[in-house]
Amino acid sequence: MPRQEYDAVVVGAGPAGLNAALVLGGARRRVLLLDGGPPRNEKATAAHGVFTRDASPPGTLKTLGLADLTEYPVTVQPGVAREARALPEGFAVRHDGGWAFARRLLFATGVRDVLPGVPGLRARWGRTVHHCPYCDGWPNREAALGVLGSHQEGHHLALSVRAWSGRVVLLTDGPDELTEEQREDLRRVGVPIHTAPILRLEGRDDLRVRFRGGERLHLDALFLNPTQVQNSALPASLGCELNEKSRVVVNEHGMTSVRGVWAAGDMTGAPQYVMSAASAGMLAAVSLNTTLIHENVRALGAAFHKSPDGEIGKAPSGGEAS
C-alpha cells in the first residue's frame, strides 16, 4: 500500500477529536482523523448545554461535526488505531486501513464507562439512568430522582442533583459507608437514604426499583457516577504519563509527557461536557500546530525573535516548539 503521510493523526472522533481536526484542517495541515465509532453518549436522547445546538442528539452532533470537515484537508478513516510507534521523524499509527505516518499525534479517545452490575441498569443507560445532571437534569427537573452511590461520592452527587429537584433519594445498594456528618447533611436537605440491596431495575419511560427485601420504589430517573477506564491503551504504550486515576497527564496546552503527543477531552480527566471537550480539542490543536509552525520556520533558518519589549513579534500562542 502507498505510504500515508500526514502532519497529524487525530485518534478519536468525539467532540474533542472533531474540533481538533477542524482547527488543524483550517490551519492547512494534512490530517488523518480515525473515527472509532459511536460516541460514548450515543444512548442519550439529547445533549444539553451545547451552544447553538442545545438538546441535539449526540449522533446528530457528530454527523454535523464530520460534515464540517469536508472543506478541509482532513481524511476521515473509520476504525480504531491498533498500534502506535514513535519514530525519529514522528509517529507511525496502524489502523484498519494500514499504516499512517505523521509528524504529530493527538489522542481524543475518551474513557469507557464501567457500569454497576445492577440487573436492568445497562438497558436503561441514557434513557432513564444518567451520568451528568448538567446534561440530563433539565428534562428531569422536579421529577422523582434517585442517586445510586455510597460513601462520599453518593453524598456529593445527591446534594448536587437536589438542585434540579426537591424529590431526591439516595440508593446505596447496601451499607451506605457515610459518616454521621454526611447523613446529617442529607437529612437537613430532605434526601432519604435507602440501603436495601437492589434486585433489579424495571420500567420503560419511568424507573421502578425492586429491592431484595420485596420493597419497590417508583422513580422518574436515576443518576450515578460510573467507574471509568481509558478507552485506548495506546497513550500508555507510548509512555504517556498517567495519574492515579489512570487519566493522561497533560499541561494547559494538552501536551502529554511524550514529545510530539497531545491528548484532549475526557481521557485527561477534564470536565465531561461536550463543550469543554470541544474546547480542549481546539486548545490542543492550536498548540500542536504552533510547534509545526516553529519547526517549519527553523527549517528555513529563521526564528520568532522577540523585540526588546517582548511583545512585538510574539509567536502564535499554544506552547513552545516540540
Side-chain angles (χ1 to χ4, degrees):
M1 296 181 62
R3 181 182 173 103
Q4 305 171 20
E5 295 191 0
Y6 302 91
D7 293 308
V9 171
V10 177
V11 186
L18 286 168
N19 212 28
L22 182 70
V23 172
L24 290 169
R28 302 182 64 193
R29 300 302 179 186
R30 292 167 293 118
V31 180
L32 174 64
L33 174 64
L34 295 179
D35 181 358
R40 179 166 64 96
N41 61 349
E42 67 167 325
K43 294 187 179 296
T45 58
H48 290 271
V50 182
F51 181 59
T52 78
R53 293 291 184 271
D54 188 55
S56 296
T60 298
L61 293 176
K62 182 171 182 178
T63 298
L64 293 170
L66 288 170
D68 284 343
L69 299 178
T70 57
E71 182 180 346
Y72 303 99
V74 177
T75 300
V76 179
Q77 173 71 43
V80 300
R82 306 290 180 182
E83 184 179 354
R85 299 178 183 176
L87 304 174
E89 69 277 18
F91 300 90
V93 180
R94 182 171 63 86
H95 57 93
D96 294 342
W99 283 92
F101 300 85
R103 297 161 68 186
R104 302 290 189 270
L105 186 55
L106 193 157
F107 285 104
T109 46
V111 293
R112 185 173 69 257
D113 294 313
V114 181
L115 300 179
V118 176
L121 188 148
R122 180 174 295 276
R124 289 158 181 80
W125 183 241
R127 282 185 17 226
T128 53
V129 180
H130 309 288
H131 164 52
C132 172
Y134 286 95
C135 298
D136 296 291
W138 175 256
N140 291 288
R141 60 194 182 280
E142 293 307 324
L145 304 179
V147 169
L148 179 60
S150 59
H151 204 256
Q152 176 176 299
E153 188 173 87
H155 169 261
H156 285 16
L157 184 57
L159 292 177
S160 298
V161 169
R162 189 183 172 279
W164 281 265
S165 174
R167 296 186 291 155
V168 178
V169 58
L170 176 62
L171 310 179
T172 61
D173 193 24
D176 60 35
E177 300 180 1
L178 300 171
T179 66
E180 287 302 325
E181 291 84 355
Q182 290 168 339
R183 294 189 188 96
E184 179 62 16
D185 289 336
L186 296 173
R187 187 194 67 77
R188 286 177 179 273
V189 299
V191 175
I193 304 170
H194 281 245
T195 61
I198 299 173
L199 180 62
R200 64 176 175 269
L201 302 182
E202 299 174 338
R204 180 172 178 80
D205 298 323
D206 59 358
L207 193 64
R208 299 173 188 182
V209 186
R210 294 189 61 179
F211 298 95
R212 293 193 180 278
E215 183 184 0
R216 300 189 183 196
L217 181 63
H218 186 191
L219 298 171
D220 294 305
L222 184 70
F223 286 84
L224 61 94
N225 280 329
T227 300
Q228 296 174 333
V229 296
Q230 287 290 338
N231 207 33
S232 173
L234 294 186
S237 73
L238 286 172
C240 295
E241 180 185 354
L242 306 181
N243 64 18
E244 68 280 358
K245 294 184 178 181
S246 297
R247 301 296 191 264
V248 178
V249 176
V250 295
N251 70 4
E252 66 272 23
H253 304 296
M255 293 177 172
T256 72
S257 60
V258 175
R259 190 179 183 88
V261 180
W262 281 254
D266 298 353
M267 65 186 300
T268 67
Q272 295 186 359
Y273 312 119
V274 171
M275 294 296 283
S276 58
S279 175
M282 180 175 186
L283 291 174
V286 169
S287 174
L288 186 158
N289 188 58
T290 299
T291 69
L292 292 175
I293 291 173
H294 279 256
E295 188 175 279
N296 292 344
V297 168
R298 285 200 307 268
L300 296 173
F304 283 94
H305 291 109
K306 293 183 178 181
S307 297
D309 60 10
E311 291 298 325
I312 301 176
K314 185 178 180 182
S317 61
E320 296 300 320
S322 176

